[in-house]
Amino acid sequence: SQQGEEDPQALSIQEGENATMNCSYKTSINNLQWYRQNSGRGLVHLILIRSNEREKHSGRLRVTLDTSKKSSSLLITASRAADTASYFCATESGGSNYKLTFGKGTLLTVNP
Amino acid sequence: EADIYQTPRYLVIGTGKKITLECSQTMGHDKMYWYQQDPGMELHLIHYSYGVNSTEKGDLSSESTVSRIRTEHFPLTLESARPSHTSQYLCASLGQGSGYTFGSGTRLTVV
C-alpha cells in the first residue's frame, strides 16, 4: 500500500498566488522528499527533509514536517506558469531501508 | 534530468514479444531502482539493486526481471509482453546524502 497520500489531488491557481500541498504517511521515516514531474517526463528531486527537521527552505519552496502527525506540506510561493506539474511526496522508511514509497501526487496547474 | 539515461523513450510492441528497457547512469551510484507508473500517476517500486549482482523485487509484483552485472547498467526485461504491461517505467539511482535521480522514463505500449 502507498505510504504517502497527497492532498489535494488537483489544484488550480493563478500566477503569483501561493500553492500548498499536503502529504500524510503511515509509518516512521528517515526522511521525506518532494519531487516534481512534468507531463510525460521523469521525476525531479526538489527537497529532502530529515525526520529530525521541522522546516526547510529552497528558493520559493518551503517544506514542513510534523512527525507527530505524520504529515508534511510543500508551499510554493509566487507561483509561475512553469510550476505547472505533478508534485509527489515520498518517504524513506526507518533503518537501512533505502527505498522510496510515493504518494499519489498533486496535479498543480498555474494559470497565466 | 541528466546523468541517468533510459532507452527507448517510447516503445510500441506486439503481445508476446520479449523486450529489454535500458537504464544507465554515469554517477557511480550503487543503488538503482525501477518504478512503474500507472495512468493515475501512482508510482510502484518493482525492482531495486544495492550493487553489482544484487537485485530484489519491489513492493509491486511484476513479471519483469532485472540484472545488475555492471554498476552503471540496470536493464529490465519482459520475456513475453502483454497489454497489461502497458505503462510508464521509470529508472532511478541514489547517491550519498542526496535525493534520487530519475531518468526520463520509457512509455511502453503493448498491443
Side-chain angles (χ1 to χ4, degrees):
Chain A
S1 62
Q2 291 298 96
Q3 164 81 308
E5 294 288 336
E6 284 93 337
D7 170 58
Q9 289 189 335
L11 179 62
S12 181
I13 60 174
Q14 295 299 122
E15 214 165 20
E17 294 179 341
N18 294 343
T20 300
M21 288 160 271
N22 302 297
C23 169
S24 60
Y25 58 92
K26 298 174 183 174
T27 63
S28 64
I29 61 171
N30 280 340
N31 62 68
L32 185 144
Q33 304 175 32
W34 285 90
Y35 288 81
R36 183 187 75 231
Q37 184 180 35
N38 290 90
S39 179
R41 307 296 294 182
L43 282 75
V44 175
H45 178 254
L46 295 176
I47 196 164
L48 181 154
I49 186 165
R50 302 190 190 284
S51 59
N52 60 353
E53 297 176 309
R54 292 297 166 258
E55 187 171 313
K56 207 161 182 180
H57 297 253
S58 177
R60 294 184 296 113
L61 305 180
R62 173 178 169 255
V63 169
T64 62
L65 178 65
D66 187 336
T67 53
S68 66
K69 295 181 180 177
K70 291 186 169 59
S71 67
S72 172
S73 68
L74 171 67
L75 169 67
I76 304 174
T77 60
S79 63
R80 306 164 182 168
D83 294 328
T84 294
S86 294
Y87 291 82
F88 293 86
C89 74
T91 55
E92 191 172 86
S93 300
S96 60
N97 185 354
Y98 300 102
K99 295 189 292 180
L100 275 185
T101 304
F102 283 84
K104 296 181 181 181
T106 293
L107 177 58
L108 173 66
T109 303
V110 182
N111 301 297
Chain B
E1 300 174 36
D3 301 327
I4 183 164
Y5 306 98
Q6 290 187 244
T7 57
R9 281 282 287 125
Y10 302 94
L11 180 61
V12 180
I13 61 166
T15 297
K17 298 291 186 182
K18 177 181 178 179
I19 58 166
T20 296
L21 308 184
E22 299 289 348
C23 177
S24 298
Q25 50 99 0
T26 59
M27 298 169 284
H29 290 169
D30 285 328
K31 302 176 182 67
M32 296 188 73
Y33 307 82
W34 276 103
Y35 284 86
Q36 183 175 339
Q37 186 174 28
D38 63 24
M41 298 196 304
E42 286 191 58
L43 287 93
H44 302 280
L45 179 66
I46 52 174
H47 297 284
Y48 62 99
S49 167
Y50 288 168
V52 171
N53 294 327
S54 154
T55 61
E56 302 286 345
K57 290 189 179 296
D59 303 322
L60 179 70
S61 176
S62 174
E63 294 166 346
S64 58
T65 59
V66 292
S67 62
R68 191 85 184 278
I69 298 172
R70 290 158 53 184
T71 299
E72 58 270 27
H73 290 154
F74 191 38
L76 181 146
T77 299
L78 277 166
E79 290 292 333
S80 180
R82 294 206 299 270
S84 60
H85 296 138
T86 294
S87 189
Q88 165 132 295
Y89 293 84
L90 293 165
C91 181
S93 70
L94 176 65
Q96 293 285 348
S98 67
Y100 291 58
T101 302
F102 279 81
S104 296
T106 293
R107 185 166 296 279
L108 173 66
T109 303
V110 184
V111 298

